Amino acid sequence: MPFIPHTDAERAAMLSAVGARKISDLFADIPPAFRLQALRMPEGLSEIEVYERLHRLSHRNAHELTCFLGGGFYDHFIPAAVDALASRGEFYTAYTPYQPEASQGTLQAVFEYQSAICRLTRMEVANASLYDGGTALFEAAMMAVRATGRNRIVLDSGVSPIYRVMLRSYTRNLHVEFEEVDVAHGQSNRARLQAAITDQTAAVIVQNPNFFGAVDDFTDIAARAHSRGCLVIASVYPVSLGLLKAPGDMDVDIVAGEGQSLGLPLSFGGPYLGFLATRLALVRKMPGRLVGETVDRQGRRGYVLTLQAREQHIRREKATSNICSNEALCALRAVIYLSLLGKQGLHDLAQLCATKAEYAKQRLSAVPGVCVKRSAPTFNEFTLELPIDASEVVARLVDKGIAAGFPLGRYYKGMENYLLVAVTEKRTRAEIGHLAEALESVL
Amino acid sequence: MNTSPSQLIFEQSVPGRRGCTLPKLTPAEAACALRIPNKYLATKPPELPEVSELDVVRHFTNLSRKNFSVDTHFYPLGSCTMKYNPKICEKIAALDGFAGLHPLLPQLRGGGMLTQGALEVLYETERLLAEICGMDAMSLQPMAGAHGELTGIMLIAAYHRDRGNRKTKVIVPDSSHGTNPASAALAGYEVVTVPSGPDGCMDMAAFEAALDDQVAAIMMTCPNTLGLFERQIHRIAELAHAKDALLYYDGANLNALLGQCHPGDLGFDVVHINLHKTFATPHGGGGPGAGPVGVKAALIPFLPISVVVKRDDGTYALEYTREKSIGYIAPFYGNFGVILKAYAYLLLLGRDGLQAVSENAVLAANYIKEKLKPHFDLPFDHTCMHECVFDAGRQAARGVHAIDIAKALIDRGFHPPTVYFPLVVHEAIMIEPTETESKEDLDRFIAAMIEIVEQAKANPAAFAALPVTMPVTRLDETKAEKNMKFRV
């Protein structure tokens, strides 16, 4: 049998040591009425057969389309060293570092990941990872509810619609109320956001850049929120922080986000990486694993899981969250990626994406009938207004080998003619030109 | 094992050093000025390391050599099922046609026509897992075991709400994983803990006393965390169902039951399983995992969206409109890369292979239990399933505690078993050998444990200094709590 080393002779020796006649005797506790003869599924296949089958299936996916899809999930280049290092068995076949002396590799890497996230967001403490950007935002919201003792949350509709529906699913059985504030011309509606924040508000949740690609500075929202004892939660796109003002510099209290863009493949939606960072004052309200620095008996520096009294294995129903497994290997990929890119590299990358996006705007707005929404500055993603339904247009562009973007009518009523287009460093001038020509030909 | 001290990657920074190359802008692109006003921009770039590619490669390679892992060491960590992770599964998950697939692609044409291969993987994996669990439908969306628990309890809450039931409590046994009560609480329930009886199974009298009309669900692990099959499980299901409470299966220990029985037949209404335990996907140093949930027919209307369906013409589609659904619990379809590895594993093993998994896992655990029984207290001396739980009480009386035994094992080249869990055993040592370890390795482990027991009698004072072969000796956890240094 695959991966089972025991020979019949070894099994017989073990059975005899156990004092059983046959293996089925070991299952005698299962009432006979429930014992199975065989599962209703096929026989096992060889490695060659499994590879061939799945290799064939992988070709029944349109991954070769030139990708202008974003929506919070981006087709960035992944340096080869990320895969080479993260595929070391010592990293990926280890478990949660419960025995710190035998897990210093994982623990130091997580400590470095936490440091990198703090430096990127300009916050004081980051946890060891959560599942994805959406669950991270939910955990951030619950932190704010616990920290303020309030249960009302103001939600900017520029926050990803995917995350907004996730927030509603998760809070269905909890006493949390949301007030959604619609964006105005693709940007946060200042007056309405300010007005929505009251003495009853636990948190206001914003996103930068927002779902339409618009960049913002939420310092004024933070000032208003803090004057009402309310916290500010921001969901951010980490690559943009090579260029954009960090949430920590806007006085944001909790930063949550999706780390996929930091060296993780798109992989049809996961595994991804939820990151969460906050101020030290809120650390005990934080969910998830946290690695801290300490010393061993000889005074040598080392790392351990710490502040575990927040966690489910100690506090059970009183824990700050139920999370146990997180996305450690994805966090490792992120810190390797950020180390390779480095201080200047991440800045250059962000600049490259933003400049290419400006070029794409210019090229696409030259297509007759196409208009770029110009009301707000953008980073690497922007909204196009088309003369016809955008879902119609993207379907036609698939035939030209292009995934042209995301039709916003899927999530926003009344925006059927709008297309969300993302540009990463992987998109060449030729590909952008091809998109413009193809768009012109299908309109 | 690399025992040299490691600088942090940030400490290796040299201003101006670079570790990556980026494409140049064409003149036409470069002519486009950025239109972002200064007030939105950072005043300086984030303080990331300034290192070369070789610096990064050497640093993380050297760090990896400070880890125990399944690929390098026997790792009998109870309740975690640290079995071998087949390499072919990694290769499959990295195929461009899977790894390079944007999750929004299904929305560009005909409800999934651009991702038929990926949707087939999801659909077929659901079918196989539903058969293994004896459930009517599965959702692959939960991204870890605890996430599966939360999803399962949200499904149960939706079920009761739909029926007009007012239920406020969830029952868990005292031997349950901490995630069970934490998940129930996060779904808004009050948690009621029921003690274990003298046989290590749930105390039936206490259970019946706790089971009132307010109980929405009972969360059980089977076999339980003592490695014992819950012999009254069918009775528990009957009593629960009589009160319209649902029975929840924590599948952490499903490795013991693969192909032996269907949890669904035992009376479970909702299950979650851990692909990163039972179905051989790697644990990644703490994740990512995947925690699919399975349900009986009555709960299908509440499953999270989207739902993968097979059309009459044999193609696959995603459905987004389900009136009674609990909604979105993941951004897309779950941890697809992990699901893919589990699917490959299921195809490799097939029905006979899966049955052989449980047989050999249970045999190995009983073998260790019998061999170590003379040397350690065995609180529940009964045929175990995939893991066995000893109590180091005898050794602790001489000053050598479960944690000391763990550290002594590290010096002998074994990752320690789980210690101090389940909480119902004071000095618990929970050993799960899995089916993939050879008899020689099991014997070496047994010999090491016996040697440690002898040393505990002869020289208990020596244990405090262990381990001595690692990059660090025991670390000061109190200092970590006090210093609160979580970053540089």
Side-chain angles (χ1 to χ4, degrees), chain B residues 14-48:
Chain B
V14 176
R17 194 171 277 173
R18 304 288 297 264
C20 72
T21 54
L22 291 169
K24 288 198 174 57
L25 290 168
T26 59
E29 291 169 314
C32 285
L34 272 191
R35 291 162 185 274
I36 308 175
N38 273 342
K39 66 168 177 170
Y40 297 128
L41 298 177
T43 49
K44 56 181 176 112
E47 292 295 332
L48 294 173

mmCIF file of all heavy atoms in Angstrom, chain B residues 14-48:
data_model
loop_
_atom_site.group_PDB
_atom_site.id
_atom_site.type_symbol
_atom_site.label_atom_id
_atom_site.label_comp_id
_atom_site.label_asym_id
_atom_site.label_seq_id
_atom_site.Cartn_x
_atom_site.Cartn_y
_atom_site.Cartn_z
ATOM 1 N N VAL B 14 22.641 45.629 4.396
ATOM 2 C CA VAL B 14 23.710 46.551 3.998
ATOM 3 C C VAL B 14 23.058 47.568 3.069
ATOM 4 O O VAL B 14 22.538 47.181 2.024
ATOM 5 C CB VAL B 14 24.846 45.805 3.258
ATOM 6 C CG1 VAL B 14 25.895 46.810 2.766
ATOM 7 C CG2 VAL B 14 25.464 44.756 4.156
ATOM 8 N N PRO B 15 23.075 48.852 3.447
ATOM 9 C CA PRO B 15 22.378 49.843 2.630
ATOM 10 C C PRO B 15 22.799 49.749 1.163
ATOM 11 O O PRO B 15 23.986 49.668 0.853
ATOM 12 C CB PRO B 15 22.798 51.175 3.255
ATOM 13 C CG PRO B 15 23.101 50.827 4.676
ATOM 14 C CD PRO B 15 23.672 49.442 4.648
ATOM 15 N N GLY B 16 21.808 49.694 0.287
ATOM 16 C CA GLY B 16 22.095 49.655 -1.148
ATOM 17 C C GLY B 16 22.132 48.257 -1.739
ATOM 18 O O GLY B 16 22.149 48.093 -2.949
ATOM 19 N N ARG B 17 22.170 47.214 -0.892
ATOM 20 C CA ARG B 17 22.236 45.851 -1.425
ATOM 21 C C ARG B 17 20.857 45.423 -1.926
ATOM 22 O O ARG B 17 19.849 45.733 -1.306
ATOM 23 C CB ARG B 17 22.752 44.911 -0.345
ATOM 24 C CG ARG B 17 23.169 43.554 -0.888
ATOM 25 C CD ARG B 17 23.875 42.740 0.175
ATOM 26 N NE ARG B 17 25.286 43.089 0.283
ATOM 27 C CZ ARG B 17 26.092 42.610 1.231
ATOM 28 N NH1 ARG B 17 25.621 41.795 2.152
ATOM 29 N NH2 ARG B 17 27.359 42.960 1.261
ATOM 30 N N ARG B 18 20.814 44.686 -3.049
ATOM 31 C CA ARG B 18 19.536 44.298 -3.655
ATOM 32 C C ARG B 18 19.437 42.791 -3.828
ATOM 33 O O ARG B 18 20.432 42.133 -4.090
ATOM 34 C CB ARG B 18 19.387 44.948 -5.042
ATOM 35 C CG ARG B 18 19.496 46.463 -5.073
ATOM 36 C CD ARG B 18 18.293 47.131 -4.460
ATOM 37 N NE ARG B 18 17.066 46.844 -5.209
ATOM 38 C CZ ARG B 18 16.560 47.644 -6.132
ATOM 39 N NH1 ARG B 18 17.161 48.770 -6.434
ATOM 40 N NH2 ARG B 18 15.444 47.335 -6.756
ATOM 41 N N GLY B 19 18.219 42.258 -3.722
ATOM 42 C CA GLY B 19 18.006 40.812 -3.861
ATOM 43 C C GLY B 19 17.038 40.432 -4.958
ATOM 44 O O GLY B 19 16.566 39.303 -4.995
ATOM 45 N N CYS B 20 16.702 41.388 -5.834
ATOM 46 C CA CYS B 20 15.767 41.048 -6.909
ATOM 47 C C CYS B 20 16.008 41.938 -8.113
ATOM 48 O O CYS B 20 16.659 42.980 -8.015
ATOM 49 C CB CYS B 20 14.326 41.224 -6.443
ATOM 50 S SG CYS B 20 13.859 42.949 -6.257
ATOM 51 N N THR B 21 15.497 41.504 -9.246
ATOM 52 C CA THR B 21 15.553 42.329 -10.445
ATOM 53 C C THR B 21 14.122 42.562 -10.912
ATOM 54 O O THR B 21 13.264 41.699 -10.744
ATOM 55 C CB THR B 21 16.331 41.622 -11.565
ATOM 56 O OG1 THR B 21 15.732 40.330 -11.775
ATOM 57 C CG2 THR B 21 17.788 41.451 -11.208
ATOM 58 N N LEU B 22 13.883 43.736 -11.488
ATOM 59 C CA LEU B 22 12.538 44.058 -11.984
ATOM 60 C C LEU B 22 12.642 44.531 -13.427
ATOM 61 O O LEU B 22 13.680 45.080 -13.828
ATOM 62 C CB LEU B 22 11.924 45.172 -11.129
ATOM 63 C CG LEU B 22 11.556 44.796 -9.693
ATOM 64 C CD1 LEU B 22 11.226 46.040 -8.875
ATOM 65 C CD2 LEU B 22 10.390 43.815 -9.656
ATOM 66 N N PRO B 23 11.598 44.334 -14.213
ATOM 67 C CA PRO B 23 11.654 44.808 -15.601
ATOM 68 C C PRO B 23 11.718 46.338 -15.662
ATOM 69 O O PRO B 23 11.234 47.026 -14.763
ATOM 70 C CB PRO B 23 10.345 44.287 -16.208
ATOM 71 C CG PRO B 23 9.465 43.938 -15.059
ATOM 72 C CD PRO B 23 10.331 43.668 -13.890
ATOM 73 N N LYS B 24 12.318 46.836 -16.761
ATOM 74 C CA LYS B 24 12.373 48.292 -16.956
ATOM 75 C C LYS B 24 11.105 48.743 -17.664
ATOM 76 O O LYS B 24 10.519 48.004 -18.438
ATOM 77 C CB LYS B 24 13.577 48.659 -17.814
ATOM 78 C CG LYS B 24 14.897 48.514 -17.080
ATOM 79 C CD LYS B 24 15.998 49.295 -17.811
ATOM 80 C CE LYS B 24 17.291 49.278 -17.018
ATOM 81 N NZ LYS B 24 17.770 47.914 -16.719
ATOM 82 N N LEU B 25 10.718 49.962 -17.406
ATOM 83 C CA LEU B 25 9.594 50.543 -18.138
ATOM 84 C C LEU B 25 10.037 50.866 -19.561
ATOM 85 O O LEU B 25 11.179 51.264 -19.783
ATOM 86 C CB LEU B 25 9.146 51.837 -17.456
ATOM 87 C CG LEU B 25 8.459 51.684 -16.101
ATOM 88 C CD1 LEU B 25 8.355 53.047 -15.417
ATOM 89 C CD2 LEU B 25 7.068 51.075 -16.267
ATOM 90 N N THR B 26 9.130 50.692 -20.520
ATOM 91 C CA THR B 26 9.428 51.169 -21.870
ATOM 92 C C THR B 26 9.327 52.696 -21.834
ATOM 93 O O THR B 26 8.671 53.260 -20.936
ATOM 94 C CB THR B 26 8.410 50.619 -22.880
ATOM 95 O OG1 THR B 26 7.109 51.058 -22.477
ATOM 96 C CG2 THR B 26 8.436 49.093 -22.920
ATOM 97 N N PRO B 27 9.947 53.377 -22.793
ATOM 98 C CA PRO B 27 9.868 54.852 -22.790
ATOM 99 C C PRO B 27 8.419 55.348 -22.780
ATOM 100 O O PRO B 27 8.115 56.327 -22.080
ATOM 101 C CB PRO B 27 10.586 55.239 -24.080
ATOM 102 C CG PRO B 27 11.514 54.098 -24.363
ATOM 103 C CD PRO B 27 10.831 52.871 -23.855
ATOM 104 N N ALA B 28 7.537 54.673 -23.512
ATOM 105 C CA ALA B 28 6.138 55.115 -23.563
ATOM 106 C C ALA B 28 5.494 55.029 -22.179
ATOM 107 O O ALA B 28 4.743 55.920 -21.767
ATOM 108 C CB ALA B 28 5.358 54.273 -24.558
ATOM 109 N N GLU B 29 5.806 53.949 -21.470
ATOM 110 C CA GLU B 29 5.250 53.804 -20.116
ATOM 111 C C GLU B 29 5.873 54.837 -19.176
ATOM 112 O O GLU B 29 5.174 55.483 -18.384
ATOM 113 C CB GLU B 29 5.519 52.397 -19.585
ATOM 114 C CG GLU B 29 4.739 51.307 -20.309
ATOM 115 C CD GLU B 29 5.235 49.911 -19.947
ATOM 116 O OE1 GLU B 29 6.464 49.686 -19.945
ATOM 117 O OE2 GLU B 29 4.391 49.056 -19.665
ATOM 118 N N ALA B 30 7.189 54.969 -19.295
ATOM 119 C CA ALA B 30 7.905 55.874 -18.390
ATOM 120 C C ALA B 30 7.441 57.313 -18.560
ATOM 121 O O ALA B 30 7.550 58.128 -17.634
ATOM 122 C CB ALA B 30 9.407 55.758 -18.618
ATOM 123 N N ALA B 31 6.915 57.612 -19.730
ATOM 124 C CA ALA B 31 6.440 58.982 -19.985
ATOM 125 C C ALA B 31 5.170 59.301 -19.205
ATOM 126 O O ALA B 31 4.754 60.464 -19.111
ATOM 127 C CB ALA B 31 6.198 59.169 -21.483
ATOM 128 N N CYS B 32 4.528 58.272 -18.645
ATOM 129 C CA CYS B 32 3.310 58.510 -17.857
ATOM 130 C C CYS B 32 3.688 58.890 -16.435
ATOM 131 O O CYS B 32 4.288 58.094 -15.712
ATOM 132 C CB CYS B 32 2.464 57.249 -17.790
ATOM 133 S SG CYS B 32 1.612 56.939 -19.316
ATOM 134 N N ALA B 33 3.339 60.051 -16.054
ATOM 135 C CA ALA B 33 3.660 60.491 -14.690
ATOM 136 C C ALA B 33 2.665 59.862 -13.713
ATOM 137 O O ALA B 33 1.508 59.645 -14.055
ATOM 138 C CB ALA B 33 3.575 61.998 -14.623
ATOM 139 N N LEU B 34 3.153 59.563 -12.518
ATOM 140 C CA LEU B 34 2.248 59.101 -11.460
ATOM 141 C C LEU B 34 1.319 60.247 -11.090
ATOM 142 O O LEU B 34 1.749 61.397 -11.018
ATOM 143 C CB LEU B 34 3.047 58.702 -10.226
ATOM 144 C CG LEU B 34 3.535 57.272 -10.157
ATOM 145 C CD1 LEU B 34 4.065 56.999 -8.771
ATOM 146 C CD2 LEU B 34 2.416 56.297 -10.485
ATOM 147 N N ARG B 35 0.062 59.928 -10.858
ATOM 148 C CA ARG B 35 -0.897 60.988 -10.550
ATOM 149 C C ARG B 35 -1.374 60.889 -9.094
ATOM 150 O O ARG B 35 -2.525 61.175 -8.798
ATOM 151 C CB ARG B 35 -2.102 60.877 -11.479
ATOM 152 C CG ARG B 35 -1.783 61.226 -12.914
ATOM 153 C CD ARG B 35 -2.868 60.686 -13.822
ATOM 154 N NE ARG B 35 -2.538 60.906 -15.228
ATOM 155 C CZ ARG B 35 -2.822 62.013 -15.885
ATOM 156 N NH1 ARG B 35 -3.446 63.000 -15.295
ATOM 157 N NH2 ARG B 35 -2.500 62.136 -17.157
ATOM 158 N N ILE B 36 -0.500 60.385 -8.237
ATOM 159 C CA ILE B 36 -0.907 60.271 -6.839
ATOM 160 C C ILE B 36 -0.356 61.475 -6.061
ATOM 161 O O ILE B 36 0.855 61.644 -5.971
ATOM 162 C CB ILE B 36 -0.396 58.960 -6.206
ATOM 163 C CG1 ILE B 36 -0.802 57.752 -7.075
ATOM 164 C CG2 ILE B 36 -0.913 58.802 -4.789
ATOM 165 C CD1 ILE B 36 -0.252 56.423 -6.602
ATOM 166 N N PRO B 37 -1.226 62.307 -5.514
ATOM 167 C CA PRO B 37 -0.750 63.473 -4.753
ATOM 168 C C PRO B 37 0.100 63.050 -3.550
ATOM 169 O O PRO B 37 -0.105 61.983 -2.976
ATOM 170 C CB PRO B 37 -2.043 64.140 -4.281
ATOM 171 C CG PRO B 37 -3.112 63.619 -5.175
ATOM 172 C CD PRO B 37 -2.688 62.257 -5.594
ATOM 173 N N ASN B 38 1.034 63.921 -3.191
ATOM 174 C CA ASN B 38 1.965 63.616 -2.110
ATOM 175 C C ASN B 38 1.315 63.207 -0.802
ATOM 176 O O ASN B 38 1.855 62.391 -0.062
ATOM 177 C CB ASN B 38 2.852 64.839 -1.839
ATOM 178 C CG ASN B 38 4.060 64.807 -2.752
ATOM 179 O OD1 ASN B 38 4.381 63.750 -3.305
ATOM 180 N ND2 ASN B 38 4.696 65.954 -2.934
ATOM 181 N N LYS B 39 0.160 63.783 -0.509
ATOM 182 C CA LYS B 39 -0.434 63.486 0.814
ATOM 183 C C LYS B 39 -0.821 62.010 0.944
ATOM 184 O O LYS B 39 -1.020 61.507 2.049
ATOM 185 C CB LYS B 39 -1.646 64.380 1.066
ATOM 186 C CG LYS B 39 -2.827 64.138 0.153
ATOM 187 C CD LYS B 39 -4.048 64.868 0.697
ATOM 188 C CE LYS B 39 -5.232 64.705 -0.247
ATOM 189 N NZ LYS B 39 -6.471 65.178 0.327
ATOM 190 N N TYR B 40 -0.914 61.294 -0.188
ATOM 191 C CA TYR B 40 -1.236 59.865 -0.128
ATOM 192 C C TYR B 40 0.011 58.987 -0.116
ATOM 193 O O TYR B 40 -0.089 57.768 -0.032
ATOM 194 C CB TYR B 40 -2.090 59.471 -1.331
ATOM 195 C CG TYR B 40 -3.433 60.148 -1.406
ATOM 196 C CD1 TYR B 40 -3.838 60.808 -2.566
ATOM 197 C CD2 TYR B 40 -4.302 60.122 -0.328
ATOM 198 C CE1 TYR B 40 -5.075 61.431 -2.639
ATOM 199 C CE2 TYR B 40 -5.546 60.744 -0.385
ATOM 200 C CZ TYR B 40 -5.926 61.402 -1.545
ATOM 201 O OH TYR B 40 -7.140 62.007 -1.611
ATOM 202 N N LEU B 41 1.168 59.595 -0.247
ATOM 203 C CA LEU B 41 2.395 58.806 -0.399
ATOM 204 C C LEU B 41 3.175 58.689 0.909
ATOM 205 O O LEU B 41 3.121 59.577 1.763
ATOM 206 C CB LEU B 41 3.297 59.455 -1.465
ATOM 207 C CG LEU B 41 2.709 59.523 -2.876
ATOM 208 C CD1 LEU B 41 3.681 60.244 -3.808
ATOM 209 C CD2 LEU B 41 2.379 58.134 -3.409
ATOM 210 N N ALA B 42 3.930 57.588 1.010
ATOM 211 C CA ALA B 42 4.826 57.422 2.152
ATOM 212 C C ALA B 42 5.978 58.398 1.988
ATOM 213 O O ALA B 42 6.382 58.702 0.869
ATOM 214 C CB ALA B 42 5.356 55.993 2.183
ATOM 215 N N THR B 43 6.526 58.867 3.112
ATOM 216 C CA THR B 43 7.647 59.788 3.004
ATOM 217 C C THR B 43 8.943 59.026 2.742
ATOM 218 O O THR B 43 9.882 59.561 2.189
ATOM 219 C CB THR B 43 7.782 60.645 4.270
ATOM 220 O OG1 THR B 43 7.725 59.749 5.388
ATOM 221 C CG2 THR B 43 6.637 61.646 4.378
ATOM 222 N N LYS B 44 9.012 57.769 3.161
ATOM 223 C CA LYS B 44 10.173 56.930 2.812
ATOM 224 C C LYS B 44 9.716 55.473 2.714
ATOM 225 O O LYS B 44 8.695 55.105 3.306
ATOM 226 C CB LYS B 44 11.301 57.102 3.817
ATOM 227 C CG LYS B 44 10.912 56.833 5.247
ATOM 228 C CD LYS B 44 12.121 57.056 6.145
ATOM 229 C CE LYS B 44 11.778 56.899 7.559
ATOM 230 N NZ LYS B 44 11.900 56.260 8.570
ATOM 231 N N PRO B 45 10.495 54.634 1.992
ATOM 232 C CA PRO B 45 10.080 53.239 1.826
ATOM 233 C C PRO B 45 10.113 52.477 3.153
ATOM 234 O O PRO B 45 10.885 52.844 4.051
ATOM 235 C CB PRO B 45 11.118 52.653 0.856
ATOM 236 C CG PRO B 45 11.909 53.800 0.342
ATOM 237 C CD PRO B 45 11.747 54.931 1.296
ATOM 238 N N PRO B 46 9.315 51.418 3.277
ATOM 239 C CA PRO B 46 9.328 50.609 4.499
ATOM 240 C C PRO B 46 10.717 50.024 4.763
ATOM 241 O O PRO B 46 11.432 49.688 3.813
ATOM 242 C CB PRO B 46 8.340 49.468 4.192
ATOM 243 C CG PRO B 46 7.643 49.830 2.937
ATOM 244 C CD PRO B 46 8.382 50.916 2.263
ATOM 245 N N GLU B 47 11.078 49.920 6.039
ATOM 246 C CA GLU B 47 12.423 49.460 6.411
ATOM 247 C C GLU B 47 12.564 47.949 6.275
ATOM 248 O O GLU B 47 12.682 47.223 7.265
ATOM 249 C CB GLU B 47 12.759 49.901 7.840
ATOM 250 C CG GLU B 47 12.930 51.402 8.004
ATOM 251 C CD GLU B 47 14.132 51.961 7.231
ATOM 252 O OE1 GLU B 47 15.111 51.218 7.024
ATOM 253 O OE2 GLU B 47 14.062 53.137 6.824
ATOM 254 N N LEU B 48 12.560 47.477 5.051
ATOM 255 C CA LEU B 48 12.748 46.048 4.795
ATOM 256 C C LEU B 48 14.243 45.765 4.674
ATOM 257 O O LEU B 48 15.040 46.682 4.495
ATOM 258 C CB LEU B 48 12.007 45.664 3.510
ATOM 259 C CG LEU B 48 10.472 45.787 3.612
ATOM 260 C CD1 LEU B 48 9.820 45.565 2.247
ATOM 261 C CD2 LEU B 48 9.908 44.789 4.628
#
